[in-house]
Amino acid sequence: MNPPLNQMLQSQIQIEDDRTGLSIETLRRAIADNLFYIQGKFPAIATKHDYYMALAYTVRDRLLHRWLNTLEVYLKQDVKLVCYLSAEYLVGPHLVNNLINLGIYEQIRQAVEESGLNLQQLINTEEEPGLGNGGLGRLASCYMDSLASLEIPAIGYGIRYEFGIFDQEIKDGWQVEITDKWLQDGNPWEIARPEAAVSVKFGGHTESYLDDQGNYRVRWLPEYIVKGIPYDTPILGYKVNTANSMRLWTSEACESFDFQRFNVGDYYGAVDRKVFSENLTKVLYPNDEPIKGKELRLQQQYFFVSCSLQDMIRIHLNEGNTLDNFAEKFAVQLNDTHPSIGVAELMRLLIDVHYYPWEKAWEITEKTFGFTNHTLLPEALERWPLGLFGHLLPRHLEIIYEINKRFLDQVRLKYPGNNEKLSSLSLIDERGDKYVRMAHLACVGSHKINGVAQLHSELLKKTLLKDFYELLPEKFTNVTNGVTPRRWMVVSNPELSQLISSKIGENWIKNLDELRKLEGFIDDGGFRQQWREVKRKVKQDLAQYIHDKLGIIVSPDSLFDVQVKRLHEYKRQHLNVLHIITLYNRIKQNPNLDITPRTFIFGGKAAPGYHQAKLIIKLINSVGDIVNHDPEIGERLKVVFLPDYNVTLGQRVYPAADLSEQISTAGKEASGTGNMKFSLNGALTIGTFDGANIEIREEVGEENFFLFGLKTEEIDQLRAQGYNPQDYYNSNPELKAAIDLINSGFFSHGDGGLFQLLINSLLYLDHYLLFADYQSYLDCQERVSQAYKDQEHWTRMSILNTARMGKFSSDRSIREYCDKIWNTSPVPIQMKDYVQADG
Ligand code: GLS
């Protein structure tokens, strides 16, 4: 006898749930369902984007299970949480990364194909969230990936900018900025949590009062209040059940407050407030902009930090704790000075809201925070005019004064009568106009301070934070940056990943040190051949992309010489250009010159207000226009500027590079992380003794790295002697010829003035010592060209670069943070069924 219908249905449901099942058939059906029920479309009218959304929801469903399990375990076990406070996250596209981390890429590919679609096309449809400027924001996202992959309980707190980093177009060689409307077609990866909204105060004044027990207290009567709504995105670890949250705050008007104004007839005032409140999280500030007077930026910082700390306290108290053990349950990392107002905010919450005495509140605060510095550039150090600060955050200014008073008492004890020390260490800069020094606040309020590469951490102790180091040496440590091999190898370079796995298995993806095993295959000619074939294939793909985008034909057999990163004078893209012009001049003088054919590939955004950086983009494009069209040059030199460099484009570019340009002035690049991505993908580096280049060279071996340029001590000496760029210009004919050619208007249709600002800054200042390093750079490039001619040897060096990159996994960095700073350990997540299949 047949079983009754409802039993039959039940047993089908039990076989596979539509939202969790992984068979091709279930996945195909789930995509079709989501297309219908979420996108409201049927196949005949569905766009690619509709299908992308349907697929994204299908994948998200499979993530949710792990995510909720993770949250439940964290709650039940009252685990210690790492809270990463970062104003920036450069997440990159979610879909493909989630497919890899879930381990369902292949099933999904087949299910998509059976639906008559192409997975790669759907992946390419995703608009990446560009909620950061560059290295610092991308590092935050690599760290989120590693935290989850290592099963460390963590939340990444940040700002849900409605407009992320601008999209870049190139018009007539110039950068043009276009608004990044990344949310306009919907974001399937996030879930709004309005029930967890918090209020944030701004402006107004404070007043003191005595409480019922006669204690002296302060309350803050704000001028206005803004509501913060969290949006959560799951960040799944690689082949584990842990899915942490990235919790980004969006600002909204606080209705009750508006109504008050409205009721007293101040209609426009109420509307102004609403507009202001909603503007708060509208746009990401591009860095390298002069920060002075950017009140909105301080508002953004305070907004997200206050939301996040209130959120942590709510979570903590909900679990039945008191705040006494807050520091044992929360390790809060300040990603640069941007969230450093958190020190004063936690003090305020503890003292004014939870009535802790100062000493106890301070002990908790200092134990809770760690501070990472990411730059030595003085112009990037945040300080806020005292007036602006006090106007916006009157209570915090009082608290900072009190922190400073107590701190300076400590300084006085150590350095009696030393006013210079007091003034240099003070949280308030009083040398002219007064400022609050955010780095000082972060240093005083954190139990650990770290730089992001060995050299950088040493220089911090010797220069920028010298006085702090002398006073509090035990706080200082180093954690060299790292990158996630999931996105920067498995996702971006599947061909090379497969080749590697075919030789040494897949464990390297979780334990990057295992790449060392590749050294055992270095003498295998067949393996080297395969290695070259993979590189050629990805170069061919990039060549195709370049042709499709820009109409420029480049040969995959030429040396791909790549510099992709933000445009900045200290990164010296224009030194690279001087090399190109010199090669050009050499060929023009000797048309039969036998040189290694090169394709110079650039990419990167300039801050909209940074004129010199924009001029460098124009120069690259102008030189490219001449070089690429000169029949005498032919295939020997090509120059390409890839517009709109972002994470997605990085995923195309790193795997295809032969040579990685890491040519910053020594001492200026705190670490760099692009340098790691290139090397991991088998590119060789031409680099200065700067940032993490030094450690990369140490790992891969000096014979597999092209080093050039002055070291930091030599630069100090040179400056002390009095550096004169003209000496170099006058004594080096090739340098002079390159500069003169730019100045003559040769690259600018006869307009000799176009690049004058840039050229004059080199001739008369050369703050970043391009002229001093020019010859050394050229000589080194010649060594590169020679080495490239011996393809067998080059391949060995390439393999060794990849094989020795274990240290630069962000997993290693995160383990170091856990040990040295956060005192946390993994909490594995067991899966539990939420969706009851028995109806
Ligand atoms: C930066 C540094 O400039 C980079 O060298 C570093 O790799 C990165 C992450 O630590 O941080 N600092 C900064 O303000 N932006 C960066 O990219």
Side-chain angles (χ1 to χ4, degrees):
M1 216 176 79
N2 286 338
L5 182 64
N6 64 347
Q7 253 183 35
M8 263 173 63
L9 282 176
Q10 262 184 25
S11 68
Q12 269 189 14
I13 294 168
Q14 277 167 353
I15 291 167
E16 238 187 16
D17 182 86
D18 251 16
R19 291 190 188 267
T20 54
L22 293 175
S23 72
I24 313 289
E25 179 48 28
T26 305
L27 289 169
R28 195 196 54 71
R29 199 175 50 236
I31 295 168
D33 269 9
N34 285 336
L35 185 70
F36 192 87
Y37 288 106
I38 299 186
Q39 289 305 101
K41 291 275 183 81
F42 48 86
I45 57 163
T47 62
K48 260 207 196 84
H49 185 262
D50 289 323
Y51 272 109
Y52 158 74
M53 293 291 272
L55 174 58
Y57 282 112
T58 306
V59 175
R60 194 184 85 176
D61 282 342
R62 276 131 193 95
L63 254 158
L64 262 171
H65 227 59
R66 290 173 170 78
W67 196 15
L68 295 184
N69 259 313
T70 305
L71 295 177
E72 194 183 3
V73 170
Y74 291 176
L75 266 172
K76 278 203 176 138
Q77 299 186 12
D78 195 13
V79 299
K80 181 166 190 177
L81 269 177
V82 173
C83 295
Y84 202 75
L85 288 190
S86 180
E88 302 190 9
Y89 291 90
L90 254 187
V91 191
H94 289 284
L95 174 58
V96 59
N97 199 63
N98 282 329
L99 293 179
I100 296 292
N101 284 10
L102 275 167
I104 61 168
Y105 185 94
E106 196 42 40
Q107 292 96 307
I108 288 283
R109 193 188 60 74
Q110 287 183 37
V112 165
E113 231 157 61
E114 283 191 14
S115 314
L117 299 155
N118 175 291
L119 178 57
Q120 197 52 50
Q121 280 181 7
L122 296 189
I123 286 172
N124 293 346
T125 312
E126 181 170 350
E127 178 95 34
E128 72 168 72
L131 309 183
N133 274 286
L136 175 143
R138 183 52 232 175
L139 184 79
S141 286
C142 282
Y143 283 178
M144 288 305 293
D145 179 89
S146 284
L147 281 161
S149 297
L150 295 172
E151 304 178 298
I152 308 290
I155 304 181
Y157 283 108
I159 302 174
R160 183 174 174 271
Y161 301 105
E162 187 179 336
F163 305 118
I165 187 72
F166 61 87
D167 294 334
Q168 179 195 55
E169 286 182 7
I170 301 296
K171 296 229 162 87
D172 188 28
W174 293 99
Q175 166 176 299
V176 176
E177 298 96 23
I178 313 284
T179 316
D180 163 50
K181 298 185 179 160
W182 72 288
L183 285 169
Q184 108 183 323
D185 296 325
N187 173 9
W189 303 103
E190 65 183 9
I191 295 184
R193 306 280 190 202
E195 72 281 8
V198 295
S199 296
V200 179
K201 304 178 191 181
F202 287 99
H205 63 278
T206 64
E207 65 181 27
S208 52
Y209 66 101
L210 291 179
D211 70 9
D212 295 346
Q213 283 86 46
N215 296 310
Y216 173 87
R217 306 244 174 255
V218 178
R219 70 176 144 237
W220 175 15
L221 302 162
E223 191 192 342
Y224 51 97
I225 298 176
V226 175
K227 199 156 68 167
I229 316 279
Y231 282 70
D232 290 350
T233 303
I235 306 291
L236 179 71
Y238 177 71
K239 295 196 179 164
V240 290
N241 294 322
T242 299
N244 286 327
S245 302
M246 178 171 69
R247 174 159 275 197
L248 304 182
W249 299 95
T250 217
S251 62
E252 266 190 20
C254 198
E255 278 135 318
S256 56
F257 201 81
D258 285 347
F259 279 125
Q260 267 179 26
R261 275 184 176 252
F262 190 64
N263 288 338
V264 293
D266 184 8
Y267 178 73
Y268 290 104
V271 172
D272 278 354
R273 281 279 165 261
K274 185 166 167 60
V275 170
F276 164 80
S277 304
E278 284 163 9
N279 273 345
L280 222 137
T281 52
K282 269 245 167 333
V283 62
L284 165 78
Y285 273 101
N287 58 7
D288 307 327
E289 295 274 357
I291 204 74
K292 254 205 205 133
K294 296 252 166 76
E295 192 175 355
L296 180 61
R297 167 90 170 169
L298 178 58
Q299 287 164 344
Q300 287 184 336
Q301 294 180 350
Y302 176 62
F303 167 75
F304 100 87
V305 166
S306 175
C307 287
S308 309
L309 285 167
Q310 291 185 59
D311 197 47
M312 291 172 220
I313 290 179
R314 183 185 54 78
I315 294 172
H316 191 61
L317 297 181
N318 273 350
E319 285 174 15
N321 294 293
T322 73
L323 292 176
D324 290 3
N325 67 341
F326 186 78
E328 279 85 76
K329 293 290 176 183
F330 290 87
V332 182
Q333 194 64 23
L334 302 170
N335 198 25
D336 216 278
T337 51
H338 318 149
S340 55
I341 185 65
V343 171
E345 174 67 354
L346 184 56
M347 285 299 285
R348 183 188 74 82
L349 291 166
L350 290 170
I351 293 170
D352 294 355
V353 182
H354 297 278
Y355 307 127
Y356 271 75
W358 183 279
E359 290 73 16
K360 182 71 192 156
W362 185 247
E363 189 192 320
I364 295 173
T365 299
E366 209 185 347
K367 272 194 199 153
T368 299
F369 287 108
F371 166 48
T372 307
N373 170 286
H374 292 268
T375 184
L376 291 163
L377 298 185
E379 61 269 31
L381 289 182
E382 290 187 304
R383 31 174 227 163
W384 296 105
L386 206 70
L388 182 155
F389 193 99
H391 182 69
L392 195 71
L393 302 170
R395 179 58 181 143
H396 297 78
L397 189 56
E398 289 173 3
I399 290 173
I400 286 172
Y401 278 143
E402 182 64 24
I403 296 173
N404 201 31
K405 190 179 117 216
R406 290 168 185 247
F407 171 60
L408 293 182
D409 282 346
Q410 216 182 314
V411 177
R412 268 187 212 96
L413 276 181
K414 169 127 188 189
Y415 305 106
N418 189 339
N419 284 336
E420 225 164 82
K421 282 276 181 219
L422 289 177
S423 124
S424 78
L425 281 162
S426 172
L427 305 197
I428 312 293
D429 184 347
E430 295 186 285
R431 291 168 307 180
D433 292 340
K434 292 187 181 169
Y435 294 93
V436 183
R437 292 163 159 164
M438 300 313 276
H440 292 208
L441 178 61
C443 285
V444 175
S446 301
H447 68 289
K448 286 284 175 197
I449 301 163
N450 74 287
V452 290
Q454 271 162 22
L455 174 75
H456 171 236
S457 294
E458 286 311 307
L459 291 175
L460 268 182
K461 296 194 277 191
K462 285 191 195 139
T463 60
L464 198 73
L465 301 178
K466 181 168 181 282
D467 291 329
F468 278 98
Y469 176 61
E470 278 167 19
L471 185 70
L472 307 160
E474 68 288 346
K475 281 198 183 189
F476 283 74
T477 185
N478 172 62
V479 182
T480 298
N481 283 344
V483 301
T484 166
R486 271 74 66 182
R487 185 174 293 275
W488 296 113
M489 192 63 156
V490 183
V491 167
S492 60
N493 203 345
E495 290 92 348
L496 195 64
S497 300
Q498 271 154 29
L499 175 59
I500 292 171
S501 297
S502 74
K503 293 288 171 195
I504 64 170
E506 284 191 352
N507 278 348
W508 61 274
I509 301 170
K510 276 199 92 81
N511 176 10
L512 204 63
D513 288 325
E514 292 210 6
L515 285 177
R516 284 263 176 193
K517 291 183 181 165
L518 287 174
E519 290 192 33
F521 298 89
I522 196 93
D523 292 325
D524 175 347
F527 175 61
R528 291 201 304 273
Q529 178 63 26
Q530 285 177 303
W531 191 269
R532 269 195 300 278
E533 279 166 12
V534 166
K535 184 61 94 178
R536 194 172 190 293
K537 154 84 174 52
V538 281
K539 285 172 76 178
Q540 176 68 57
D541 291 348
L542 183 61
Q544 186 66 47
Y545 177 85
I546 290 170
H547 182 251
D548 294 348
K549 274 266 165 226
L550 303 167
I552 303 173
I553 296 175
V554 305
S555 164
D557 295 319
S558 63
L559 186 163
F560 278 17
D561 176 339
V562 188
Q563 189 170 20
V564 285
K565 48 180 80 239
R566 285 296 287 250
L567 265 289
H568 200 293
E569 287 163 281
Y570 85 78
K571 296 179 189 278
R572 303 199 295 192
Q573 281 92 350
H574 43 342
L575 178 59
N576 190 339
V577 175
L578 290 179
H579 173 230
I580 300 173
I581 297 176
T582 304
L583 292 181
Y584 178 78
N585 282 339
R586 283 182 190 168
I587 299 177
K588 295 304 275 185
Q589 272 172 19
N590 178 4
N592 296 323
L593 191 69
D594 175 28
I595 70 162
T596 302
R598 289 204 196 209
T599 301
F600 295 91
I601 298 168
F602 293 87
K605 294 174 185 177
Y610 188 176
H611 187 65
Q612 294 286 42
K614 292 176 121 174
L615 209 49
I616 295 175
I617 295 181
K618 173 68 176 166
L619 178 65
I620 295 168
N621 284 310
S622 303
V623 170
D625 265 353
I626 297 289
V627 171
N628 296 346
H629 296 113
D630 189 329
E632 222 167 19
I633 300 298
E635 300 302 302
R636 284 177 286 185
L637 302 178
K638 291 284 173 199
V639 182
V640 176
F641 188 94
L642 293 172
D644 205 31
Y645 179 66
N646 56 12
V647 175
T648 311
L649 191 48
Q651 291 174 189
R652 278 183 190 279
V653 170
Y654 292 113
D658 294 305
L659 187 66
S660 152
E661 296 270 354
Q662 306 302 334
I663 60 177
S664 51
T665 318
K668 295 292 177 193
E669 189 70 270
S671 161
T673 45
N675 45 6
M676 301 168 188
K677 296 165 198 166
F678 277 114
S679 200
L680 178 62
N681 282 276
L684 273 67
T685 305
I686 181 163
T688 46
F689 218 71
D690 198 17
N693 294 354
I694 299 172
E695 291 159 74
I696 293 176
R697 178 167 171 268
E698 233 166 64
E699 291 295 306
V700 303
E702 56 186 66
E703 66 286 7
N704 301 308
F705 187 106
F706 295 96
L707 179 71
F708 77 97
L710 296 171
K711 303 204 163 84
T712 46
E713 315 82 65
E714 293 165 332
I715 289 175
D716 292 344
Q717 274 172 23
L718 183 63
R719 286 200 208 278
Q721 288 161 19
Y723 172 59
N724 184 3
Q726 307 246 348
D727 296 345
Y728 295 83
Y729 170 78
N730 289 321
S731 63
N732 190 324
E734 287 205 310
L735 174 60
K736 183 169 188 306
I739 293 291
D740 290 351
L741 198 61
I742 301 172
N743 252 344
S744 73
F746 181 75
F747 298 112
S748 41
H749 306 284
D751 178 1
L754 185 62
F755 298 113
Q756 202 152 31
L757 262 180
L758 193 60
I759 296 306
N760 284 351
S761 85
L762 292 177
L763 278 170
Y764 302 110
L765 289 168
D766 195 14
H767 195 63
Y768 298 104
L769 302 164
L770 279 77
F771 286 9
D773 275 346
Y774 170 84
Q775 193 57 49
S776 167
Y777 181 54
L778 253 87
D779 295 344
C780 194
Q781 286 285 21
E782 185 50 35
R783 294 201 298 280
V784 171
S785 290
Q786 292 308 325
Y788 194 71
K789 287 185 178 158
D790 182 350
Q791 277 292 299
E792 282 295 353
H793 186 63
W794 185 277
T795 309
R796 283 173 186 268
M797 294 197 288
S798 166
I799 295 170
L800 288 178
N801 265 265
T802 302
R804 297 175 177 176
M805 285 304 288
K807 171 172 174 185
F808 303 98
S809 166
S810 44
D811 297 347
R812 188 270 312 147
S813 312
I814 286 299
R815 282 200 190 93
E816 282 188 29
Y817 276 102
C818 288
D819 296 345
K820 295 185 189 172
I821 301 177
W822 300 331
N823 189 26
T824 47
S825 36
V827 176
I829 305 295
Q830 306 305 323
M831 287 302 280
K832 167 191 149 186
D833 261 348
Y834 282 97
V835 184
Q836 295 301 314
D838 54 4

